[in-house]
Amino acid sequence: MTERTFSILKPDATERNLTGKINAMIEDAGLRIVAQRRIRLTEAQAKKFYEVHKERPFYGELVAQMTAQPVVVQVLEGENAVARYREVMGATNPADAAAGTIRKAFAKNVGENSVHGSDSQENAKIEIAQFFTEADIPG
Ligand code: ADP
Ligand code: MG
């Protein structure tokens, strides 16, 4: 089924000029970038986005990292896009990520791991709505 997922190219990726290389891996995986914008996340936006992790010891560091440099927020579309993108991203910790994945290729460490991708269709809808309206996503 064709569906959408939400993606962020994180500060460690934009800082190293990896936007194009990561987008090529996304497109080569059969996912279409149907909306994309480069923005600087505010602290409030980053805190809200990662609210589920607020009790974790790395929350403060994560919010600091996510606001340190611009990010690229994206909507990806394709067959089973949520699961497909998680596959292409690879494991959260690049030490555990499979060969050929974005995180294996580019992530610096478990925190600065280059990309975010939604973990469910429900969260994809919620996350997309935090940054895009339907008018931003041409059909
Ligand atoms: P994922 O991004 O693969 O869905 P999680 O939802 O578990 O991973 O975590 C969200 C983000 O929090 C990770 O992508 C990473 O940037 C950061 N993070 C997760 N675990 C750790 C950790 N043990 N130490 C530092 N940062 C972490
Ligand atoms: Mg997650």
Side-chain angles (χ1 to χ4, degrees):
M1 193 194 63
T2 298
E3 63 183 22
R4 288 174 179 170
T5 192
F6 178 71
S7 163
I8 303 179
L9 311 189
K10 294 185 177 183
D12 73 273
T14 61
E15 187 176 30
R16 289 178 289 156
N17 269 358
L18 293 172
T19 298
K21 288 193 174 80
I22 293 173
N23 278 352
M25 290 177 79
I26 289 170
E27 293 183 335
D28 286 349
L31 294 166
R32 189 179 303 279
I33 301 164
V34 295
Q36 172 170 259
R37 190 186 308 123
R38 188 173 190 269
I39 60 170
R40 183 77 175 254
L41 288 181
T42 65
E43 189 176 334
Q45 279 177 313
K47 281 184 168 164
K48 181 171 147 70
F49 187 77
Y50 279 122
E51 199 164 29
V52 293
H53 296 300
K54 68 172 182 291
E55 306 303 334
R56 309 282 288 276
F58 57 78
Y59 181 65
E61 191 187 8
L62 179 59
V63 169
Q65 285 168 352
M66 291 300 291
T67 54
Q69 298 286 333
V71 299
V72 177
V73 291
Q74 304 176 313
V75 180
L76 309 182
E77 197 172 270
E79 194 73 13
N80 300 313
V82 171
R84 182 79 189 110
Y85 190 44
R86 297 289 305 191
E87 247 173 51
V88 176
M89 287 165 53
T92 305
N93 187 342
D96 302 326
T101 62
I102 293 168
R103 283 166 165 171
K104 179 68 174 184
F106 299 123
K108 294 167 81 169
N109 52 60
V110 67
E112 296 169 292
N113 57 6
S114 303
V115 282
H116 164 85
S118 309
D119 60 10
S120 67
Q121 284 195 60
E122 188 194 352
N123 283 335
K125 287 197 176 73
I126 293 167
E127 292 172 1
I128 289 168
Q130 286 177 33
F131 296 97
F132 295 99
T133 67
E134 274 306 311
D136 297 322
I137 312 171

